[in-house]
Amino acid sequence: MPETTKTKPKRPKPGAIPRQEMPRQAPEVRRANFNEVALGLTMEMAQREAQRCLQCKKPLCIAGCPVEVRIPEFILALSEGNMPEAVRLLKDKNNLPAICGRVCPQETQCEELCVLGKKFKPVAIGRLERFVADWELGQGVETPEPLPPTGKRVAVIGAGPAGLTCAADLARCGHQVTLFESLHAPGGVLMYGIPEFRLPKRTVHAEVDYVKSLGVDLQLNAVVGKLYTLNELLGERGYDALFLGTGAGLPRFMRIPGENYNGVYSANEFLTRVNLMKAYLFPEYDTPVKVGKRVAVIGGGNVAMDSARCALRLGWQRALAKGSEPAEVTIVYRRSRVELPARLEEVENAEEEGVEFRLLTNPVEIYGNEQGWVRGMRCIRMELGEPDDSGRRRPIPIEGSEFDIEVDVVVVAIGTSPNPLVFTDAGGLERTRWGTVVADEETGRTTKQGVWAGGDIVTGAATVISAMGAGKRAAADIHRYLVGEEICE
Amino acid sequence: MYKILAREDLAPITKLMVVEAPEVARKAQPGQFVIVRIDEEGERIPLTVADFDRGAGTITIVFQEVGKSTMHLGTLQPGDGLASFTGPLGEPSEIEHHGTVLCVGGGTGIACVYPITRSLHEAGNHVISIIGARRKDLLFWEEMMRSVSDELIVCTDDGSYGRKALVTVPMKEILEQRDDVSRIWAIGPAIMMKFCCLTAQPFDVPIIVSLNSIMVDGTGMCGACRVEVGGRTRFVCVDGPEFDGREVDWNQLLARQRIYLGEEKLAREKFEHECCSKHESSGSAV
Ligand SMILES: Cc1cc2nc3c(=O)[nH]c(=O)nc-3n(C[C@H](O)[C@H](O)[C@H](O)COP(=O)(O)OP(=O)(O)OC[C@H]3O[C@@H](n4cnc5c(N)ncnc54)[C@H](O)[C@@H]3O)c2cc1C
Ligand SMILES: Cc1cc2nc3c(=O)[nH]c(=O)nc-3n(C[C@H](O)[C@H](O)[C@H](O)COP(=O)(O)OP(=O)(O)OC[C@H]3O[C@@H](n4cnc5c(N)ncnc54)[C@H](O)[C@@H]3O)c2cc1C
Ligand code: SF4
Ligand code: SF4
Ligand code: FES
């Protein structure tokens, strides 16, 4: 570790300062708007929180972070009021800190390993990261000098967290990077999936602008597999290496009768309409979305929570505008509360806002009316048996326990897999039977010469920071492959 | 920005536009479509590739003004730009030497069937084409269709031009008269395609239709476009848009096209209101 840790200022006793809570919009207010729920720390609170860090000589927290953010160092700079230095240290490893500070599941990553957490609450690393990153965005972002051009060209496919990170790191090393994105906006799930109230889109724009400022050439509306194929990019288009970061964007349905009735959405469609297309601003924005009186969201992950909380807000907006009743929004999940895969914080947020939970319940059929609209759903009660491969107890239907509920909109949030479109004309690229790409965990190398992959396309739906970590490791290996050196720091 | 290079009014509410999109033009094939977004607030609407010119780097689209987005598109002029123009999407038509083929286009569907007809003709098929519209002034591309067909039948619902008939009438006659038709393409409004399929049913000829379900991304990531074909849920944007029409669940497709009727009306009224007040204040006579 660098010198800074040696010149420790006098710190308060461990646990003397309580973990600083972040102010949030009150549930009764936020359930009717799409503004960010968490309001951020003040400078005073952030510095008080920063003082809690013990500046460990062997910081365990770093091991919990997939991109190995220099946690104690940036926190020290913050506590000393040296904000530009805090920014520099933070961004040394993390190209998208304002995003990670908001959506990383810190409680199972960096913060889980923080030593302070053994006796007290861990340092609020994510909140501090968000604070420092927001401070920089408020000041105007500085771009580091790229290294001299290497003359090598890399195509990065998919502008989600994996692709953005990989592109940024390669550009910083002097490679000429083209980033191809099929949608009309970069960001991947950050743009179309995660709602404004958890991750404001101006934050995503700002971090994408930073990546562009490094010299990355962003090509939107470019569907690889259709407009170009992998073999064309490697061949006639003359790219020296390719990185695939196209995520896991293919929606899974339940394959139960009635799933194609009007009013049944995949979470991808529902969230894309609301977030990317801004249906919550309809008719100022052209794309509509339906929210009925009773919405059932199937699933228990972050995607289900986000869908439910979007539906709830749309219902309240309508109620306030028209004086009608708000929508009833229910999460239908086949295991119990402890198995909910969503972040606890988001489950609690949803509960506070008024989302109902029907646990140990699974849909078996959707009913429609004569016009083809959803009107109800038949469910079956579940009980938990022995743990399965995932270590969670397996849900088992209780025979004869079927019952009907009234619903007019259903959002199916039971998972996604990689979209196969990109694999057209990509011979030699091996995939698993789940449709994910086979890639080396350390380097991201695939079975196809010159092609790397990382993020959800390799792991299946995971996290923003793990996708970024994969993008980073692949960038390092691509650099090694192209110029035969370790990546520049 | 994707620049509009030319426009032509084919019929009172049917417009043609030539759009500069060299990369799309390089790859486009008959049967494929693009997704157009006019501006930042715009929705993503699918439109068929009506023609492409790889040399000039252009794609031609033909659209009917049926709601807010297409009406807005219809107000744009050469020199204006489109915020996005994504494609080519969907699977291309299966162009082979099938023998004798029948190409049926109804309304705007004439523009969609044209590039397919041309390719089938170039591939050496004996092409019989039928085009139809409600009235004479809604018909277009008669000469273009004639130039790529061995036989062409033109009809209107009200008899104001050509034969007074729905396209299904000459279609049935041809299938009764000759037993060498090995494939049919029928493209137009869903209801027309449904009746073309019913007409073809007794003759046991594959009939290819191009489904126009509601879409968002057009790349298989949302499922908005899904419809049952042969008892299986298919995504029109990636598995289609062409399917064997004999297997399509038409009632489901028709129901799914109506999901946003209320919202579409609201958007259209708002647009008409804003559009008219703008024109009044600027004194323009559009
Ligand atoms: C609703 C929702 C909420 C979530 N919440 C959290 C959270 O709170 N915390 C967290 O850590 N994780 C969360 N996740 C998971 C996280 O967002 C993903 O793990 C992460 O975004 C994966 O990054 P990626 O770069 O691999 O792929 P993606 O973010 O999926 O990006 C892939 C990009 O590639 C593009 N693309 C796809 N195919 C092509 C093609 N053929 N050509 C060109 N471009 C293509 C896509 O349009 C997209 O922009 C959430 C996911 C969802 C859906
Ligand atoms: C693969 C494909 C190719 C198409 N090609 C053409 C074409 O070449 N020329 C043409 O005029 N039309 C074409 N369409 C239909 C065209 O996309 C719709 O007319 C257009 O989206 C209507 O938008 P709007 O806002 O003007 O009207 P709206 O008021 O939104 O809708 C009017 C009608 O159009 C349908 N529609 C609405 N939104 C969509 C959507 N996102 N996708 C599909 N249909 C929708 C609805 O069923 C509705 O009844 C095609 C559709 C598909 C799926
Ligand atoms: S990037 Fe995420 S995991 Fe890493 S330190 Fe920041 S909040 Fe923790
Ligand atoms: S483990 Fe906790 S206390 Fe130690 S350096 Fe990391 S954040 Fe600070
Ligand atoms: S339009 Fe989204 S999957 Fe077809």
Side-chain angles (χ1 to χ4, degrees):
Chain A
M1 276 292 117
E3 263 49 57
T4 40
T5 44
K6 283 186 199 149
T7 54
K8 261 195 214 169
K10 220 175 126 45
R11 326 214 120 251
K13 275 232 287 284
I17 305 173
R19 182 171 153 118
Q20 302 293 295
E21 288 307 320
M22 188 154 47
R24 291 182 301 165
Q25 282 194 72
E28 316 76 68
V29 179
R30 68 180 195 241
R31 70 186 176 196
N33 69 51
F34 277 80
N35 300 335
E36 196 171 11
V37 168
L39 302 171
L41 300 173
T42 61
M43 178 66 91
E44 202 193 338
M45 294 164 89
Q47 290 195 323
R48 212 177 305 143
E49 182 65 31
Q51 297 243 307
R52 296 181 67 229
C53 171
L54 306 175
Q55 292 296 320
C56 307
K57 287 231 164 57
K58 288 204 177 92
L60 295 177
C61 50
I62 295 181
C65 171
V67 296
E68 299 174 353
V69 165
R70 298 162 73 169
I71 296 169
E73 293 173 82
F74 97 79
I75 292 182
L76 181 66
L78 166 61
S79 71
E80 290 169 345
N82 188 350
M83 292 305 288
E85 182 63 3
V87 171
R88 192 189 66 77
L89 290 163
L90 175 58
K91 289 185 97 171
D92 183 44
K93 298 285 183 177
N94 188 341
N95 288 314
L96 311 169
I99 292 167
C100 293
R102 285 173 167 82
V103 303
C104 260
Q106 291 105 14
E107 65 280 5
T108 59
Q109 302 196 308
C110 51
E111 293 181 17
E112 184 175 40
L113 298 186
C114 168
V115 283
L116 201 59
K118 290 202 176 114
K119 268 175 100 177
F120 309 97
K121 286 188 174 167
V123 176
I125 301 167
R127 290 173 191 170
L128 294 180
E129 184 166 321
R130 169 188 162 141
F131 178 81
V132 171
D134 282 358
W135 179 88
E136 191 202 20
L137 293 179
Q139 302 290 305
V141 177
E142 263 183 54
T143 325
E145 280 296 307
L147 295 181
T150 59
K152 300 288 181 188
R153 297 173 69 230
V154 185
V156 175
I157 301 156
L164 285 167
T165 306
C166 186
D169 276 12
L170 288 168
R172 279 171 72 170
C173 293
H175 303 296
Q176 195 185 327
V177 182
T178 314
L179 179 52
F180 295 99
E181 166 56 47
S182 60
L183 289 170
H184 59 261
V189 170
L190 309 175
M191 261 334 255
Y192 76 75
I194 303 181
E196 177 76 18
F197 56 81
R198 278 217 291 135
L199 179 62
K201 298 310 154 220
R202 71 183 136 72
T203 305
V204 183
H205 291 310
E207 306 232 91
V208 169
D209 284 346
Y210 168 74
V211 175
K212 284 200 282 190
S213 75
L214 298 170
V216 171
D217 172 26
L218 176 61
Q219 295 284 331
L220 298 173
N221 309 307
V223 185
V224 176
K226 287 287 176 188
L227 197 59
Y228 317 99
T229 66
L230 298 191
N231 282 338
E232 280 169 14
L233 291 174
L234 283 172
E236 63 200 69
R237 295 270 162 172
Y239 286 97
D240 300 299
L242 297 188
F243 175 77
L244 290 182
T246 51
L250 199 73
R252 199 174 297 150
F253 284 91
M254 294 177 288
R255 296 169 185 259
I256 60 173
E259 244 179 332
N260 294 337
Y261 281 124
N262 290 355
V264 182
Y265 286 102
S266 73
N268 266 6
E269 180 185 357
F270 189 77
L271 290 170
T272 300
R273 285 180 177 272
V274 176
N275 301 317
L276 178 67
M277 306 309 296
K278 298 209 186 330
Y280 64 93
L281 298 174
F282 179 87
E284 272 62 49
Y285 281 70
D286 290 344
T287 307
V289 71
K290 282 280 180 190
V291 178
K293 295 197 180 73
R294 293 187 186 83
V295 184
V297 179
I298 321 294
N302 284 322
V303 185
M305 297 307 138
D306 284 343
S307 304
R309 296 173 71 198
C310 283
L312 193 88
R313 281 163 172 74
L314 291 163
W316 273 102
Q317 279 188 343
R318 184 185 55 195
L320 295 183
K322 295 195 180 158
S324 57
E325 286 294 306
E328 264 174 39
V329 180
T330 310
I331 297 259
V332 177
Y333 179 59
R334 61 199 181 124
R335 301 186 215 238
S336 69
R337 192 172 186 280
V338 289
E339 286 91 13
L340 281 168
R343 290 182 69 184
L344 184 62
E345 186 183 327
E346 302 305 338
V347 175
E348 287 169 356
N349 276 330
E351 282 172 336
E352 279 177 19
E353 288 162 12
V355 172
E356 304 282 338
F357 286 75
R358 245 181 219 278
L359 301 166
L360 291 166
T361 304
N362 210 24
V364 289
E365 179 166 2
I366 296 170
Y367 298 116
N369 64 18
E370 261 139 43
Q371 286 77 48
W373 276 93
V374 174
R375 67 178 171 82
M377 192 162 78
R378 171 151 296 187
C379 299
I380 189 161
R381 282 188 228 288
M382 311 290 277
E383 60 188 353
L384 293 180
E386 295 299 308
D388 62 13
D389 301 346
S390 72
R392 293 172 306 171
R393 293 176 63 194
R394 187 195 304 274
I396 303 165
I398 304 175
E399 224 172 287
S401 69
E402 288 90 348
F403 63 100
D404 292 345
I405 58 174
E406 252 184 75
V407 288
D408 48 15
V409 165
V410 176
V411 181
V412 183
I414 58 165
T416 53
S417 54
N419 188 333
L421 213 54
V422 74
F423 305 122
T424 321
D425 181 31
L429 190 71
E430 199 182 313
R431 284 185 282 157
T432 67
R433 65 188 166 100
W434 298 277
T436 52
V437 168
V438 176
D440 182 84
E441 206 181 315
E442 273 315 302
T443 61
R445 280 191 196 210
T446 68
T447 54
K448 189 172 171 66
Q449 172 78 24
V451 180
W452 281 254
D456 283 4
I457 192 179
V458 172
T459 55
T463 62
V464 172
I465 192 67
S466 59
M468 288 177 55
K472 236 183 158 51
R473 290 192 300 276
D477 195 55
I478 292 171
H479 184 70
R480 219 175 279 136
Y481 168 83
L482 292 177
V483 299
E485 289 167 17
E486 289 308 307
I487 201 149
C488 44
E489 281 292 340
Chain B
M1 276 291 177
Y2 298 81
K3 210 156 120 196
I4 298 168
L5 299 179
R7 90 170 245 165
E8 188 187 329
D9 294 6
L10 298 176
I13 57 164
T14 310
K15 313 270 144 91
L16 172 153
M17 278 175 187
V18 180
V19 180
E20 183 176 55
E23 295 290 335
V24 186
R26 193 178 59 85
K27 269 296 179 80
Q29 290 179 63
Q32 292 188 298
F33 65 96
V34 291
I35 293 245
V36 175
R37 198 171 120 269
I38 299 173
D39 55 20
E40 270 327 297
E41 292 79 33
E43 63 183 333
R44 297 169 62 98
I45 58 166
L47 294 171
T48 306
V49 171
D51 206 351
F52 49 88
D53 184 333
R54 299 199 207 283
T58 59
I59 296 280
T60 301
I61 51 174
V62 171
F63 57 93
Q64 198 165 15
E65 296 174 353
V66 291
K68 148 90 212 254
S69 297
T70 43
M71 286 164 76
H72 185 185
L73 193 57
T75 63
L76 302 185
Q77 298 296 335
D80 289 341
L82 300 169
S84 48
F85 196 81
T86 312
L89 300 172
E91 289 294 317
S93 309
E94 259 180 60
I95 307 292
E96 291 166 23
H97 186 81
H98 299 282
T100 300
V101 294
L102 190 56
C103 294
V104 186
T108 336
I110 300 171
C112 308
V113 90
Y114 166 74
I116 303 171
T117 312
R118 182 177 61 192
S119 290
L120 286 167
H121 194 249
E122 282 166 3
N125 290 284
H126 181 83
V127 181
I128 308 172
S129 301
I130 306 171
I131 59 172
R134 271 179 295 136
R135 297 187 310 267
K136 178 183 180 196
D137 62 342
L138 300 176
L139 265 181
F140 58 90
W141 284 14
E142 180 187 350
E143 285 319 309
M144 281 171 68
M145 281 299 286
R146 195 179 306 283
S147 69
V148 296
S149 309
D150 295 282
E151 300 171 43
L152 176 75
I153 299 158
V154 184
C155 37
T156 52
D157 295 6
D158 67 352
S160 52
Y161 186 78
R163 255 184 91 169
K164 178 177 191 303
L166 299 172
V167 289
T168 45
V169 178
M171 190 181 152
K172 180 153 181 264
E173 289 168 6
I174 291 165
L175 290 169
E176 278 166 351
Q177 283 158 16
R178 43 195 310 164
D179 56 7
D180 62 341
V181 176
S182 56
R183 208 172 263 230
I184 306 168
W185 266 263
I187 307 182
I191 197 75
M192 177 206 106
M193 294 191 282
K194 176 180 171 176
F195 280 101
C196 287
C197 292
L198 288 173
T199 306
Q201 196 85 46
F203 301 94
D204 199 27
V205 183
I207 171 164
I208 311 298
V209 294
S210 180
L211 300 185
N212 46 359
S213 51
I214 291 178
M215 294 188 176
V216 183
D217 59 298
T219 63
M221 67 86 101
C222 78
C225 60
R226 68 195 190 278
V227 66
E228 270 169 54
V229 181
R232 272 172 67 202
T233 295
R234 309 299 300 273
F235 286 7
V236 172
C237 67
V238 284
D239 299 326
E242 294 189 351
F243 293 97
D244 189 330
R246 297 173 297 181
E247 300 193 324
V248 171
D249 183 338
W250 292 102
N251 292 342
Q252 190 177 77
L253 177 73
L254 288 162
R256 289 189 63 82
Q257 286 183 337
R258 287 192 295 263
I259 298 181
Y260 300 105
L261 280 187
E263 289 79 5
E264 286 161 3
K265 184 160 173 277
L266 188 76
R268 190 168 59 240
E269 285 168 0
K270 178 170 173 285
F271 178 73
E272 280 169 335
H273 178 76
E274 284 167 7
C275 178
C276 294
S277 49
K278 214 189 293 164
H279 287 311
E280 270 160 29
S281 59
S282 67
S284 119
V286 177

